[in-house]
Every structure is written in C-alpha cells, then in structure tokens.
Amino acid sequence: MNRLSLGGLVLLLAGCASTPTVTTDHDPAANFASFPTYSWAGQPQAGSPLVQQRIVDGIDARLRAKGWTQAPNGQVAIAAHVVASQKQTIDTFYSGTGMGGWGYRGGWRGGMGTATSTVRTYDVGTLIVDMFDASTQQAVWRGSASSTVPSSPEKVNQTVDAALDKMFAGFPPGTASP
C-alpha cells in the first residue's frame, strides 16, 4: 500500500454512505478538571501532510472548545496514530433457481442456476487518539474512529470532521453529549 493511499486512509473514516465507527474509553479515576493544558507527544503520520494537519487542527479546535489550552509542557500529553488496512467483501449473485420445472408434454425438466461472485477490495482507516497524564505517564483517555476511506479530498475532510465531532462529543468524560 503506497503512502498516498495510507494518507487517504488515514482520513480514514467513512465512506459515502457510512459514518465513522467511534469508541472512547477513559480512566474513571482521572480528574479531567485538573487537566487544563495539553501538549502533543506524537502527531499522526499520514501519507498526506495536509491530512495530518487537518487531524491535528481538528483535535486542537475541539480541545479549545472544551476550555483546554495547548502549552509546551501540558498536564496531558496527546499521541495520535493512523492505521490503515485493506478489507474485502464478496458479493454473489444468483440467476435461475436450479430447480428446473415442468416442460412441454408434462415431463420434468431439470435446470441449472448460475452464480457470479465479485470481490471488492477497499481501504479502512482508523484514527486513534491517546491522552496521558504527563506527570504520571498513565493513560487517561482513548478515542478511536474507523471507516472506509473516501476517494475524494472533500469527502476525506468531511469524514475526519465527522469522526472528531463524534469522538469529542462527550469529552471530557462526565459531560453530556450534545
């Protein structure tokens, strides 16, 4: 898989008709009210630097909206990763029943049905965002979003935004989703 498709993948998420599958998890003992600042420990490596920047900018914007501030030595360290993989589906279409039927002059006539199978290969991208308490280096939050990788840059941008919106909807933990 070349770097360009990985970058698109990275964008991961969501095909034309699908929305990203998003999950989040957190340490119930973590006090998110004590984390007003964050810093980047690792930014995602996407095939496209534009996609990478959109992901970073999108996360920054959502954290700012939650009252967090980026600082050189923030209380939370963020690491984001993009993972890409190829999946396949097999679609089989049948024609004819293979059951035969009654023919001319009342005799049973056997018949053959036919089947045609088509294999479709597509890319799935997953964005993983991890947050660590910088003082203890313990994980406090994880969000992941997966979807088929769109073919156009516009759809990639829409998918990244949809994934990040869904990922940060209930962030920090304990707040109500819109």
Side-chain angles (χ1 to χ4, degrees):
M1 179 179 306
N2 66 29
R3 278 192 161 300
L4 182 58
S5 64
L6 178 63
L9 286 180
V10 154
L11 307 176
L12 43 192
L13 327 266
C16 305
S18 67
T19 59
T21 301
V22 174
T23 60
T24 60
D25 190 14
H26 70 282
D27 178 356
N31 179 6
F32 285 86
S34 69
F35 300 136
T37 62
Y38 71 96
S39 57
W40 281 95
Q43 295 185 352
Q45 297 301 306
S48 164
L50 294 172
V51 172
Q52 175 182 334
Q53 193 58 49
R54 285 182 189 116
I55 292 169
V56 170
D57 290 348
I59 293 170
D60 287 342
R62 282 155 183 87
L63 290 175
R64 270 193 312 275
K66 302 292 182 171
W68 286 33
T69 305
Q70 187 173 358
N73 294 306
Q75 284 110 345
V76 170
I78 298 176
H81 307 279
V82 175
V83 180
S85 62
Q86 285 192 330
K87 304 276 183 172
Q88 292 183 330
T89 59
I90 300 174
D91 296 316
T92 302
F93 300 96
Y94 298 94
S95 62
T97 62
M99 298 293 293
W102 293 101
Y104 179 70
R105 297 190 186 182
W108 173 259
R109 307 233 186 245
M112 298 292 290
T114 60
T116 304
S117 294
T118 304
V119 176
R120 184 175 70 94
T121 302
Y122 59 98
D123 294 320
V124 174
T126 302
L127 170 64
I128 301 166
V129 180
D130 288 313
M131 295 184 183
F132 301 89
D133 181 328
S135 64
T136 65
Q137 298 182 347
Q138 296 295 308
V140 294
W141 187 87
R142 170 174 267 201
S144 67
S146 293
S147 184
T148 56
V149 178
S151 57
S152 74
E154 295 81 18
K155 288 182 181 174
V156 166
N157 294 341
Q158 291 171 356
T159 301
V160 168
D161 279 341
L164 292 175
D165 284 346
K166 217 170 161 182
M167 188 182 293
F168 286 94
F171 185 86
T175 59
S177 298

